Amino acid sequence: MDREAACEFKTIADVDRAVLRVLNDSENRELASELQLSAFEVPFFTGSPILRQLLVLKEFYRRSNAVDTFYIEQGQRNRAARTNDTSLLHFEAFEASFREINEATHQAFRRGHVHKFLDLGFAPGGFATWILRTNPEAHGVGISLSLKASGIQSQIDPRFRERFQECYDDVRRVAAGQVDSGIENLLHGKFDLIIANATIMLQEDAALWSDRIHLIYAQILVALQHITSGGSFVISLPMRPFDWVVDIIAVLQGPSFESITTVKPKFQARRSITYLVCQGFRAADREKGVLMDRLRVGIQYLENAGGPVNALSGGTAMLPRLSDVLTQTHMAEQQSFILGFLAPVWHQQYNAIHEHYQWMLEGGNRRQSSITMQASAADTATSWRRQQAPAVQPGGANSPNWRTRSTEPHGRAQRGRDEGSHHGGTGSGTEGSWRKGLH
Ligand SMILES: C[S@@+](CC[C@H](N)C(=O)[O-])C[C@H]1O[C@@H](n2cnc3c(N)ncnc32)[C@H](O)[C@@H]1O
């Protein structure tokens, strides 16, 4: 299948038929290879019908000209709009997203349940605003890149400034203990809620995979340093079962927190990220120390990592593991846990992309769109096609076999690699559109 084939779709029923045909006519491993999944992902792919369906649908969506035009035009509209308007729109969307996170976790953060919180990557401040509004006694500290570095302005109501300290620095420096005494003082004491939503400021196709993972490791390290016993941790992560993502889930799951759940807010329904909500921090000091040491070793590896993400002698395959389970006999158990854990968000992303694809094929593209139909600022940093090709780890499906697949079912798989091999595939980035100038 290629762009031309995707362009021939007139209705969503055409798309559904093509997806079915691909799924029925291919052997799972062959399809995984065409989609250029890493060896680590293959058992998840073969074990999950919804993941297979999602990845094939995404591939058609990615290759559709209508979709690409939509994201490019939406990006242009965002750039033409006044900075504050777009920024405010996203601030409100993040605020609503935290409300969804709260609702999906039996109101874990309702009034009186947050006392002191740390918000990593807080700007523009939607999450923090929801928490401060809902919890009138809560105090918080936020750390984000400066306006100059990120182009993202805090939109937090000055009335909250008394209860919320805004700091501007790089979380990776905080994790390395390189901050000034002002921030150090603010971080004194423990926090009962820590949020990690800092996402790389470079566009997806310009950011190194190692930088993305480094930022995520740094946020976990800071969280471990400052979370109180029984506290909660909310982190945005890619929802593909990449080796390093499964590794992170493994350490957060059993040993560190009493429960973890995954929430996918509507605002980011089509994006390949989800929020892990980890509750009841319970790691003993020794376990915590081991995990923090492993994170530091990982960061060191990532700082020196070059080359493609899927290199056998480098990449994420050689990234020192945080958990024990990935290297031991528990792997099968972990796989079955992950399949159940991520299936709901795979379903949600599938439904959201399907709905949007249908909407566009029916001409919705030319009509006024609602916030959930609009592309987020992140989406429109670049075209969906350019974002998604590298978002697949290790690469996108550029195999010539896709060209013929919708019409000639039994073609031989030929692997092709695209530029995705050099990038992170975290799916949580592409925040370049948050830059000044863009909105
Ligand atoms: C998706 S936005 C977060 C939105 C926020 N949760 C809200 O509720 O409004 C990502 C934020 O991460 C910040 N960021 C990106 N890289 C960072 C880094 N290395 N250190 C600190 N903040 C970072 C960006 O400046 C941006 O403010």
PDB file of all heavy atoms in Angstrom, residues 311-334:
ATOM      1  N   ALA A 311      19.885  -0.430  16.581  1.00  0.00           N
ATOM      2  CA  ALA A 311      21.176  -1.088  16.349  1.00  0.00           C
ATOM      3  C   ALA A 311      21.343  -2.240  17.332  1.00  0.00           C
ATOM      4  O   ALA A 311      21.062  -2.090  18.525  1.00  0.00           O
ATOM      5  CB  ALA A 311      22.295  -0.074  16.527  1.00  0.00           C
ATOM      6  N   LEU A 312      21.812  -3.361  16.838  1.00  0.00           N
ATOM      7  CA  LEU A 312      21.926  -4.528  17.719  1.00  0.00           C
ATOM      8  C   LEU A 312      22.998  -4.324  18.774  1.00  0.00           C
ATOM      9  O   LEU A 312      22.895  -4.800  19.901  1.00  0.00           O
ATOM     10  CB  LEU A 312      22.243  -5.776  16.883  1.00  0.00           C
ATOM     11  CG  LEU A 312      21.071  -6.268  16.035  1.00  0.00           C
ATOM     12  CD1 LEU A 312      21.459  -7.476  15.204  1.00  0.00           C
ATOM     13  CD2 LEU A 312      19.860  -6.596  16.917  1.00  0.00           C
ATOM     14  N   SER A 313      24.040  -3.574  18.411  1.00  0.00           N
ATOM     15  CA  SER A 313      25.112  -3.364  19.378  1.00  0.00           C
ATOM     16  C   SER A 313      24.993  -1.996  20.042  1.00  0.00           C
ATOM     17  O   SER A 313      25.948  -1.465  20.567  1.00  0.00           O
ATOM     18  CB  SER A 313      26.452  -3.484  18.667  1.00  0.00           C
ATOM     19  OG  SER A 313      26.451  -2.541  17.619  1.00  0.00           O
ATOM     20  N   GLY A 314      23.850  -1.419  19.991  1.00  0.00           N
ATOM     21  CA  GLY A 314      23.638  -0.103  20.622  1.00  0.00           C
ATOM     22  C   GLY A 314      22.146   0.074  20.784  1.00  0.00           C
ATOM     23  O   GLY A 314      21.438  -0.860  21.124  1.00  0.00           O
ATOM     24  N   GLY A 315      21.671   1.258  20.499  1.00  0.00           N
ATOM     25  CA  GLY A 315      20.230   1.488  20.528  1.00  0.00           C
ATOM     26  C   GLY A 315      19.618   1.134  21.870  1.00  0.00           C
ATOM     27  O   GLY A 315      20.305   1.057  22.895  1.00  0.00           O
ATOM     28  N   THR A 316      18.311   0.894  21.867  1.00  0.00           N
ATOM     29  CA  THR A 316      17.654   0.603  23.143  1.00  0.00           C
ATOM     30  C   THR A 316      17.870  -0.849  23.570  1.00  0.00           C
ATOM     31  O   THR A 316      17.665  -1.183  24.725  1.00  0.00           O
ATOM     32  CB  THR A 316      16.141   0.879  23.082  1.00  0.00           C
ATOM     33  OG1 THR A 316      15.576   0.074  22.053  1.00  0.00           O
ATOM     34  CG2 THR A 316      15.851   2.333  22.808  1.00  0.00           C
ATOM     35  N   ALA A 317      18.292  -1.697  22.643  1.00  0.00           N
ATOM     36  CA  ALA A 317      18.522  -3.108  22.998  1.00  0.00           C
ATOM     37  C   ALA A 317      19.625  -3.220  24.046  1.00  0.00           C
ATOM     38  O   ALA A 317      19.591  -4.103  24.904  1.00  0.00           O
ATOM     39  CB  ALA A 317      18.879  -3.908  21.757  1.00  0.00           C
ATOM     40  N   MET A 318      20.588  -2.311  23.984  1.00  0.00           N
ATOM     41  CA  MET A 318      21.714  -2.393  24.919  1.00  0.00           C
ATOM     42  C   MET A 318      21.572  -1.417  26.088  1.00  0.00           C
ATOM     43  O   MET A 318      22.456  -1.315  26.926  1.00  0.00           O
ATOM     44  CB  MET A 318      23.038  -2.103  24.180  1.00  0.00           C
ATOM     45  CG  MET A 318      23.349  -3.074  23.067  1.00  0.00           C
ATOM     46  SD  MET A 318      23.390  -4.780  23.660  1.00  0.00           S
ATOM     47  CE  MET A 318      24.977  -4.801  24.446  1.00  0.00           C
ATOM     48  N   LEU A 319      20.457  -0.707  26.117  1.00  0.00           N
ATOM     49  CA  LEU A 319      20.218   0.233  27.225  1.00  0.00           C
ATOM     50  C   LEU A 319      20.115  -0.571  28.519  1.00  0.00           C
ATOM     51  O   LEU A 319      19.302  -1.491  28.612  1.00  0.00           O
ATOM     52  CB  LEU A 319      18.906   0.983  26.947  1.00  0.00           C
ATOM     53  CG  LEU A 319      18.380   1.947  28.014  1.00  0.00           C
ATOM     54  CD1 LEU A 319      19.340   3.106  28.227  1.00  0.00           C
ATOM     55  CD2 LEU A 319      17.010   2.508  27.585  1.00  0.00           C
ATOM     56  N   PRO A 320      20.964  -0.254  29.515  1.00  0.00           N
ATOM     57  CA  PRO A 320      20.894  -1.036  30.755  1.00  0.00           C
ATOM     58  C   PRO A 320      19.480  -1.011  31.329  1.00  0.00           C
ATOM     59  O   PRO A 320      18.842   0.042  31.356  1.00  0.00           O
ATOM     60  CB  PRO A 320      21.875  -0.310  31.679  1.00  0.00           C
ATOM     61  CG  PRO A 320      22.785   0.441  30.784  1.00  0.00           C
ATOM     62  CD  PRO A 320      21.984   0.798  29.572  1.00  0.00           C
ATOM     63  N   ARG A 321      18.992  -2.168  31.739  1.00  0.00           N
ATOM     64  CA  ARG A 321      17.599  -2.273  32.180  1.00  0.00           C
ATOM     65  C   ARG A 321      17.393  -1.729  33.587  1.00  0.00           C
ATOM     66  O   ARG A 321      18.261  -1.813  34.450  1.00  0.00           O
ATOM     67  CB  ARG A 321      17.148  -3.734  32.143  1.00  0.00           C
ATOM     68  CG  ARG A 321      17.135  -4.307  30.742  1.00  0.00           C
ATOM     69  CD  ARG A 321      16.060  -3.666  29.886  1.00  0.00           C
ATOM     70  NE  ARG A 321      16.207  -4.041  28.494  1.00  0.00           N
ATOM     71  CZ  ARG A 321      16.098  -3.204  27.453  1.00  0.00           C
ATOM     72  NH1 ARG A 321      15.850  -1.934  27.650  1.00  0.00           N
ATOM     73  NH2 ARG A 321      16.241  -3.635  26.221  1.00  0.00           N
ATOM     74  N   LEU A 322      16.188  -1.212  33.815  1.00  0.00           N
ATOM     75  CA  LEU A 322      15.808  -0.726  35.138  1.00  0.00           C
ATOM     76  C   LEU A 322      15.232  -1.860  35.974  1.00  0.00           C
ATOM     77  O   LEU A 322      15.396  -1.917  37.185  1.00  0.00           O
ATOM     78  CB  LEU A 322      14.741   0.370  35.006  1.00  0.00           C
ATOM     79  CG  LEU A 322      15.097   1.575  34.129  1.00  0.00           C
ATOM     80  CD1 LEU A 322      13.910   2.528  34.035  1.00  0.00           C
ATOM     81  CD2 LEU A 322      16.310   2.313  34.709  1.00  0.00           C
ATOM     82  N   SER A 323      14.530  -2.765  35.286  1.00  0.00           N
ATOM     83  CA  SER A 323      13.843  -3.838  36.018  1.00  0.00           C
ATOM     84  C   SER A 323      14.604  -5.145  35.858  1.00  0.00           C
ATOM     85  O   SER A 323      15.448  -5.278  34.978  1.00  0.00           O
ATOM     86  CB  SER A 323      12.437  -4.018  35.450  1.00  0.00           C
ATOM     87  OG  SER A 323      12.528  -4.557  34.157  1.00  0.00           O
ATOM     88  N   ASP A 324      14.263  -6.108  36.694  1.00  0.00           N
ATOM     89  CA  ASP A 324      14.868  -7.434  36.559  1.00  0.00           C
ATOM     90  C   ASP A 324      14.070  -8.294  35.588  1.00  0.00           C
ATOM     91  O   ASP A 324      14.603  -9.191  34.966  1.00  0.00           O
ATOM     92  CB  ASP A 324      14.904  -8.135  37.915  1.00  0.00           C
ATOM     93  CG  ASP A 324      15.794  -7.365  38.892  1.00  0.00           C
ATOM     94  OD1 ASP A 324      16.825  -6.837  38.438  1.00  0.00           O
ATOM     95  OD2 ASP A 324      15.432  -7.283  40.081  1.00  0.00           O
ATOM     96  N   VAL A 325      12.766  -7.995  35.466  1.00  0.00           N
ATOM     97  CA  VAL A 325      11.906  -8.945  34.760  1.00  0.00           C
ATOM     98  C   VAL A 325      12.244  -9.129  33.291  1.00  0.00           C
ATOM     99  O   VAL A 325      12.041 -10.205  32.747  1.00  0.00           O
ATOM    100  CB  VAL A 325      10.401  -8.569  34.856  1.00  0.00           C
ATOM    101  CG1 VAL A 325       9.882  -8.717  36.238  1.00  0.00           C
ATOM    102  CG2 VAL A 325      10.144  -7.201  34.290  1.00  0.00           C
ATOM    103  N   LEU A 326      12.779  -8.076  32.650  1.00  0.00           N
ATOM    104  CA  LEU A 326      12.994  -8.209  31.211  1.00  0.00           C
ATOM    105  C   LEU A 326      14.105  -9.177  30.863  1.00  0.00           C
ATOM    106  O   LEU A 326      14.175  -9.675  29.756  1.00  0.00           O
ATOM    107  CB  LEU A 326      13.304  -6.848  30.582  1.00  0.00           C
ATOM    108  CG  LEU A 326      12.187  -5.820  30.613  1.00  0.00           C
ATOM    109  CD1 LEU A 326      12.415  -4.759  29.567  1.00  0.00           C
ATOM    110  CD2 LEU A 326      10.832  -6.459  30.390  1.00  0.00           C
ATOM    111  N   THR A 327      14.967  -9.425  31.806  1.00  0.00           N
ATOM    112  CA  THR A 327      16.084 -10.301  31.485  1.00  0.00           C
ATOM    113  C   THR A 327      15.863 -11.689  32.079  1.00  0.00           C
ATOM    114  O   THR A 327      16.680 -12.558  31.951  1.00  0.00           O
ATOM    115  CB  THR A 327      17.388  -9.716  32.048  1.00  0.00           C
ATOM    116  OG1 THR A 327      17.134  -9.334  33.399  1.00  0.00           O
ATOM    117  CG2 THR A 327      17.846  -8.509  31.255  1.00  0.00           C
ATOM    118  N   GLN A 328      14.767 -11.868  32.780  1.00  0.00           N
ATOM    119  CA  GLN A 328      14.581 -13.141  33.461  1.00  0.00           C
ATOM    120  C   GLN A 328      13.338 -13.883  33.008  1.00  0.00           C
ATOM    121  O   GLN A 328      12.673 -13.483  32.055  1.00  0.00           O
ATOM    122  CB  GLN A 328      14.566 -12.894  34.964  1.00  0.00           C
ATOM    123  CG  GLN A 328      15.945 -12.411  35.415  1.00  0.00           C
ATOM    124  CD  GLN A 328      16.020 -12.204  36.904  1.00  0.00           C
ATOM    125  OE1 GLN A 328      15.040 -12.372  37.614  1.00  0.00           O
ATOM    126  NE2 GLN A 328      17.184 -11.833  37.364  1.00  0.00           N
ATOM    127  N   THR A 329      13.034 -14.927  33.732  1.00  0.00           N
ATOM    128  CA  THR A 329      11.959 -15.821  33.305  1.00  0.00           C
ATOM    129  C   THR A 329      10.567 -15.208  33.390  1.00  0.00           C
ATOM    130  O   THR A 329       9.625 -15.758  32.856  1.00  0.00           O
ATOM    131  CB  THR A 329      11.973 -17.080  34.192  1.00  0.00           C
ATOM    132  OG1 THR A 329      12.147 -16.645  35.530  1.00  0.00           O
ATOM    133  CG2 THR A 329      13.077 -18.026  33.804  1.00  0.00           C
ATOM    134  N   HIS A 330      10.447 -14.071  34.061  1.00  0.00           N
ATOM    135  CA  HIS A 330       9.133 -13.458  34.212  1.00  0.00           C
ATOM    136  C   HIS A 330       8.637 -12.772  32.944  1.00  0.00           C
ATOM    137  O   HIS A 330       7.576 -12.181  32.936  1.00  0.00           O
ATOM    138  CB  HIS A 330       9.168 -12.392  35.312  1.00  0.00           C
ATOM    139  CG  HIS A 330       9.657 -12.910  36.618  1.00  0.00           C
ATOM    140  ND1 HIS A 330      10.936 -12.706  37.047  1.00  0.00           N
ATOM    141  CD2 HIS A 330       9.035 -13.636  37.564  1.00  0.00           C
ATOM    142  CE1 HIS A 330      11.089 -13.282  38.225  1.00  0.00           C
ATOM    143  NE2 HIS A 330       9.953 -13.850  38.563  1.00  0.00           N
ATOM    144  N   MET A 331       9.427 -12.826  31.916  1.00  0.00           N
ATOM    145  CA  MET A 331       9.081 -12.064  30.715  1.00  0.00           C
ATOM    146  C   MET A 331       7.694 -12.412  30.177  1.00  0.00           C
ATOM    147  O   MET A 331       6.936 -11.525  29.782  1.00  0.00           O
ATOM    148  CB  MET A 331      10.161 -12.277  29.650  1.00  0.00           C
ATOM    149  CG  MET A 331      10.095 -11.296  28.518  1.00  0.00           C
ATOM    150  SD  MET A 331      10.084  -9.581  29.079  1.00  0.00           S
ATOM    151  CE  MET A 331       9.086  -8.841  27.812  1.00  0.00           C
ATOM    152  N   ALA A 332       7.371 -13.710  30.140  1.00  0.00           N
ATOM    153  CA  ALA A 332       6.065 -14.115  29.589  1.00  0.00           C
ATOM    154  C   ALA A 332       4.932 -13.490  30.410  1.00  0.00           C
ATOM    155  O   ALA A 332       3.954 -12.981  29.864  1.00  0.00           O
ATOM    156  CB  ALA A 332       5.946 -15.624  29.580  1.00  0.00           C
ATOM    157  N   GLU A 333       5.109 -13.517  31.732  1.00  0.00           N
ATOM    158  CA  GLU A 333       4.102 -12.914  32.622  1.00  0.00           C
ATOM    159  C   GLU A 333       3.961 -11.417  32.337  1.00  0.00           C
ATOM    160  O   GLU A 333       2.863 -10.874  32.294  1.00  0.00           O
ATOM    161  CB  GLU A 333       4.590 -13.032  34.069  1.00  0.00           C
ATOM    162  CG  GLU A 333       3.778 -13.977  34.930  1.00  0.00           C
ATOM    163  CD  GLU A 333       4.470 -14.116  36.277  1.00  0.00           C
ATOM    164  OE1 GLU A 333       4.529 -13.123  37.015  1.00  0.00           O
ATOM    165  OE2 GLU A 333       4.987 -15.223  36.549  1.00  0.00           O
ATOM    166  N   GLN A 334       5.123 -10.791  32.167  1.00  0.00           N
ATOM    167  CA  GLN A 334       5.112  -9.353  31.924  1.00  0.00           C
ATOM    168  C   GLN A 334       4.418  -9.037  30.595  1.00  0.00           C
ATOM    169  O   GLN A 334       3.665  -8.074  30.492  1.00  0.00           O
ATOM    170  CB  GLN A 334       6.565  -8.817  31.919  1.00  0.00           C
ATOM    171  CG  GLN A 334       6.683  -7.307  31.836  1.00  0.00           C
ATOM    172  CD  GLN A 334       6.011  -6.576  33.012  1.00  0.00           C
ATOM    173  OE1 GLN A 334       5.658  -7.191  34.008  1.00  0.00           O
ATOM    174  NE2 GLN A 334       5.825  -5.279  32.885  1.00  0.00           N
TER     175      GLN A 334
END
